[in-house]
């Protein structure tokens, strides 16, 4: 079982006829099963047979996480270009020890009465969780091991110190008053920053989205 409660308070404020400010704060509590059952952990004191196929133990994260998230964005309409420029910043902090910053910017260009083209860029950077490492000392199968197993441990690369880049373009066409078609392409790249985790653990992806809105 896992329970998550979110409380969000925010405001959208017109600073002028062509300027919109958005401020949000989210407080989140999550309790229960926080582990990822698909993530394994290597312990250096556990006797290994085949080193090419090491024995892994399931990770163990704290069963409670509290998160604080602040978000601010500013949208400015530019009359001569019939376009809008939007910038945003997001701050994230939780009791796992992760602190993250996200900066994003996008340009919304109106073309005629039907089309909207929006190139975008987003940068994300985070610190590592307090209980993250690529491997740990100790032997979970031997309670008498001189190197005690830590209370919490995870080798999930998503909890490591890292940064991500997202860039791409979104397009929409308002076919009628009640139908809008959407098409988007984004390139996503993730990179580790701790100098220990293998870069091969961090994925890269091409993301294509096609949709329609009624």
């Amino acid at each position: 079982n896992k329970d998550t409660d979110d409380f969000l308070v925010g405001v959208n404020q017109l600073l002028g006829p062509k300027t919109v400010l958005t401020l949000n704060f989210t407080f989140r509590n999550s309790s229960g099963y926080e582990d990822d059952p698909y993530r394994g952990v290597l312990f250096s004191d556990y006797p290994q047979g085949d080193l090419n196929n090491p024995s892994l133990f399931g990770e163990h994260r704290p069963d409670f996480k509290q998160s604080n998230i602040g978000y601010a964005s500013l949208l400015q309409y530019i009359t001569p270009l019939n376009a809008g420029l939007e910038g945003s910043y997001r701050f994230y902090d939780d009791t796992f020890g992760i602190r993250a910053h996200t900066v994003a910017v996008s340009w919304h260009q109106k073309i005629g009465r039907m089309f909207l083209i929006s190139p975008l860029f987003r940068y994300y950077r985070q610190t590592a969780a307090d209980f993250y490492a690529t491997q740990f000392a100790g032997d979970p199968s031997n309670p008498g091991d001189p190197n005690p197993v830590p209370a919490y441990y995870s080798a999930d690369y998503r909890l490591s110190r890292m940064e991500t880049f997202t860039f791409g373009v979104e397009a929409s066409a308002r076919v009628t008053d009640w139908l809008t078609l959407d098409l988007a392409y984004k390139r996503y790249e993730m990179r580790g920053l701790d100098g220990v985790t293998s870069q091969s653990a961090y994925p890269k992806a091409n993301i294509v989205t096609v949709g329609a809105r009624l």
Side-chain angles (χ1 to χ4, degrees):
N1 292 329
K2 178 180 178 179
D3 297 312
T4 302
D5 301 311
D6 284 2
F7 176 77
L8 183 147
V9 59
V11 60
N12 294 324
Q13 177 65 52
L14 287 173
L15 301 181
K18 303 174 183 179
T19 309
V20 182
L21 174 68
T22 299
L23 298 173
N24 290 335
F25 177 78
T26 303
F27 177 77
R28 175 180 300 156
N29 276 342
S30 178
S31 61
Y33 186 74
E34 299 285 343
D35 300 343
D36 186 331
Y38 303 101
R39 300 294 171 182
V41 175
L42 178 67
F43 285 90
S44 57
D45 292 349
Y46 182 78
Q48 298 289 339
D50 183 3
L51 296 180
N52 294 320
N53 187 24
S55 298
L56 303 177
F57 292 82
E59 68 170 23
H60 182 47
R61 308 184 188 187
D63 58 7
F64 175 80
K65 181 170 71 172
Q66 184 179 92
S67 307
N68 299 293
I69 307 167
Y71 174 82
S73 74
L74 186 68
L75 176 61
Q76 176 66 51
Y77 183 68
I78 303 172
T79 305
L81 300 176
N82 198 21
L85 177 64
E86 183 176 9
S88 66
Y89 170 73
R90 179 180 182 268
F91 174 77
Y92 174 89
D93 179 76
D94 67 26
T95 53
F96 279 9
I98 294 178
R99 179 168 292 183
H101 306 271
T102 307
V103 178
V105 62
S106 58
W107 180 270
H108 307 283
Q109 180 65 57
K110 192 77 178 294
I111 301 177
R113 301 185 62 181
M114 287 182 56
F115 299 101
L116 181 67
I117 306 295
S118 302
L120 58 93
F121 174 78
R122 185 179 68 179
Y123 175 72
Y124 171 85
R125 187 184 184 104
Q126 75 172 34
T127 61
D130 296 334
F131 49 87
Y132 171 81
T134 54
Q135 68 176 15
F136 295 83
D139 179 0
S141 67
N142 180 14
D145 189 273
N147 294 319
V149 173
Y152 305 113
Y153 43 86
S154 175
D156 187 343
Y157 69 91
R158 296 171 299 179
L159 300 180
S160 68
R161 182 169 173 256
M162 66 175 186
E163 62 183 0
T164 71
F165 301 86
T166 306
F167 49 91
V169 61
E170 299 175 345
S172 64
R174 189 168 184 175
V175 181
T176 69
D177 289 340
W178 52 268
L179 175 62
T180 301
L181 303 179
D182 298 304
L183 176 65
Y185 166 78
K186 296 178 183 178
R187 174 66 178 175
Y188 178 81
E189 297 186 1
M190 180 183 291
R191 185 172 65 183
L193 298 174
D194 59 13
V196 178
T197 308
S198 172
Q199 291 296 334
S200 64
Y202 299 94
K204 296 177 175 61
N206 296 305
I207 305 167
V208 177
T209 306
V210 179
R213 286 176 285 160
L214 300 178

